């Protein structure tokens, strides 16, 4: 399993088994998840993420990325057949970035085009996550994972808006992914156990509060552990730390962002 929540102990467990492993058995199952593609370069492991997703949504210009870049990330010999194979179920957003020919192509292939140009109050990622949130039964939300590619890199205000979405939908497990790292929110409502996929994750990591300071954070499994530590911007935050165990435990009185580096799996 990617995770499970033990309610009696208020423990939330996390792992990144959606990432390609160097020595994963071919028949080892991977739990399904929803995949949201934003308008930045696709990570090198995108074909694997796509193949195991049970829902694929492109946020506006993210459709351009699938159209233009998936062929370069596969071993397919024919670009046309690659495009025909990677079809998102939904394209959502204000439609100010998707190219007309890309929109026409995916529409003709059966993708649902959800034009939200009337709504300029929220970002395209917010629109996509809101759709997923509304269609997911309440009792399933704590087990749902949403992987987001293209959320990191590019304009910093876009990155900040994407991180804000983690807080707006804190009842969902949302992971922001790039070639270099991942980011997830650790809500203060639980203690957290992060199971490190050491062949592809780490060793560098970071842990810090955004929006509100932490007056009491304790960790195990890191080179520089925190012990009832205070963290806030303008003072100490935990960056450039090192994972030293296959399990990292975190408990805090504030919502924290966890980030960990990803190894080059090429």
């Amino acid at each position: 399993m990617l995770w499970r929540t033990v309610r009696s102990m208020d423990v939330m467990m996390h792992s990144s088994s959606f990432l390609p492993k160097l020595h994963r058995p071919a028949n080892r199952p991977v739990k399904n998840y929803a995949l949201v593609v934003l308008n930045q370069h696709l990570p090198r492991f995108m074909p694997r993420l796509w193949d195991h997703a049970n829902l694929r949504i492109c946020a506006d210009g993210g459709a351009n990325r699938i159209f233009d870049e998936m062929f370069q990330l596969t071993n397919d010999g024919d670009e046309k057949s690659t495009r025909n194979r990677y079809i998102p179920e939904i394209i959502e957003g204000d439609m100010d970035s998707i190219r007309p020919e890309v929109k026409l192509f995916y529409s003709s292939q059966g993708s649902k085009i959800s034009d939200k140009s009337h709504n300029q109050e929220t970002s395209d990622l917010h629109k996509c996550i809101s759709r997923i949130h509304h269609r997911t039964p309440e009792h399933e939300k704590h087990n749902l994972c949403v992987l987001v590619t293209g959320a990191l890199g590019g304009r910093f205000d876009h990155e900040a808006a994407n991180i804000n979405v983690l807080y707006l939908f804190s009842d969902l497990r949302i992971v922001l992914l790039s070639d270099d790292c991942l980011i997830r929110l650790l809500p203060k409502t639980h203690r957290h156990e992060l199971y490190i996929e050491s062949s592809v994750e780490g060793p560098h990591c970071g842990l810090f509060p955004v929006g509100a300071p932490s007056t009491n954070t304790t960790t195990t499994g890191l080179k520089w552990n925190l012990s009832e530590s205070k963290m806030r911007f303008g003072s100490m935050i935990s960056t450039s730390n090192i994972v030293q165990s296959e399990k990292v435990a975190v408990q805090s009185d504030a919502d924290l962002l966890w980030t960990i580096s990803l190894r080059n799996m090429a």
Side-chain angles (χ1 to χ4, degrees):
M1 294 179 64
L2 285 181
W3 50 74
R4 62 188 177 92
T5 302
V6 184
R7 294 185 180 277
S8 61
M9 297 178 63
D10 291 321
V11 175
M12 187 177 290
M13 298 182 182
H14 313 261
S15 83
S16 300
S17 57
F18 47 80
L19 292 171
K21 305 302 181 296
L22 297 181
H23 306 292
R24 179 190 294 280
N27 61 351
R28 180 178 172 184
V30 177
K31 187 179 176 70
N32 287 333
Y33 43 77
L35 177 65
V36 178
V37 183
L38 303 186
N39 191 13
Q40 290 289 337
H41 286 299
L42 303 180
R44 58 192 178 275
F45 42 83
M46 186 66 179
R48 175 185 175 81
L49 298 182
W50 188 279
D51 289 344
H52 289 282
N54 59 14
L55 175 66
R56 305 161 191 90
I57 303 179
C58 288
D60 197 357
N64 297 339
R65 301 292 179 170
I66 298 299
F67 188 87
D68 293 338
E69 299 178 19
M70 280 298 265
F71 175 67
Q72 305 163 25
L73 299 173
T74 68
N75 295 320
D76 296 348
D78 181 71
E79 188 169 5
K80 181 178 179 181
S81 66
T82 301
R83 284 185 177 149
N84 288 334
R85 186 151 60 92
Y86 294 101
I87 306 296
E89 285 85 354
I90 303 167
I91 300 174
E92 182 113 10
D94 58 13
M95 303 298 149
D96 64 344
S97 300
I98 187 171
R99 301 197 306 271
E101 72 273 18
V102 174
K103 183 178 178 181
L104 179 62
F105 172 76
Y106 287 123
S107 178
S108 70
Q109 295 294 316
S111 297
K112 174 182 174 61
I113 308 298
S114 179
D115 187 340
K116 296 295 179 64
S117 56
H118 61 281
N119 178 6
Q120 295 297 314
E121 299 296 320
T122 59
S123 68
D124 286 337
L125 176 58
H126 187 288
K127 293 176 175 68
C128 292
I129 299 298
S130 181
R131 171 181 287 275
I132 294 169
H133 191 270
H134 288 151
R135 65 182 279 164
T136 304
E138 198 65 34
H139 68 279
E140 294 182 10
K141 283 186 169 68
H142 71 282
N143 272 331
L144 175 66
C145 183
V146 183
L147 306 182
V148 183
T149 68
L152 307 173
R155 283 170 43 187
F156 179 69
D157 60 329
H158 286 171
E159 289 185 309
N162 294 335
I163 290 171
N164 190 46
V165 167
L166 301 182
Y167 287 80
L168 291 171
F169 295 94
S170 61
D171 58 337
L172 296 181
R173 297 170 181 264
I174 304 172
V175 181
L176 308 184
L177 284 164
S178 74
D179 266 334
D180 302 311
C181 69
L182 64 79
I183 297 175
R184 66 171 91 228
L185 180 68
L186 306 182
K188 64 184 179 182
T189 52
H190 292 78
R191 291 183 291 118
H192 297 273
E193 294 180 354
L194 299 111
Y195 290 85
I196 308 303
E197 302 283 352
S198 58
S199 67
V200 290
E201 287 185 294
H204 299 97
C205 64
L207 190 68
F208 43 88
V210 175
S214 166
T215 61
N216 190 325
T217 296
T218 297
T219 67
T220 62
L222 303 178
K223 183 174 183 179
W224 295 286
N225 278 309
L226 304 173
S227 179
E228 300 181 355
S229 301
K230 297 179 180 180
M231 290 194 295
R232 65 177 176 85
F233 278 94
S235 183
M236 189 200 79
I237 58 175
S238 179
T239 62
S240 299
N241 212 325
I242 302 291
V243 170
Q244 288 197 320
S245 172
E246 292 190 354
K247 184 179 80 171
V248 173
V250 179
Q251 184 171 0
S252 180
D253 63 348
D255 297 335
L256 301 178
L257 289 179
W258 164 262
T259 182
I260 188 167
S261 60
L262 300 181
R263 300 177 188 271
N264 190 333
M265 293 163 275

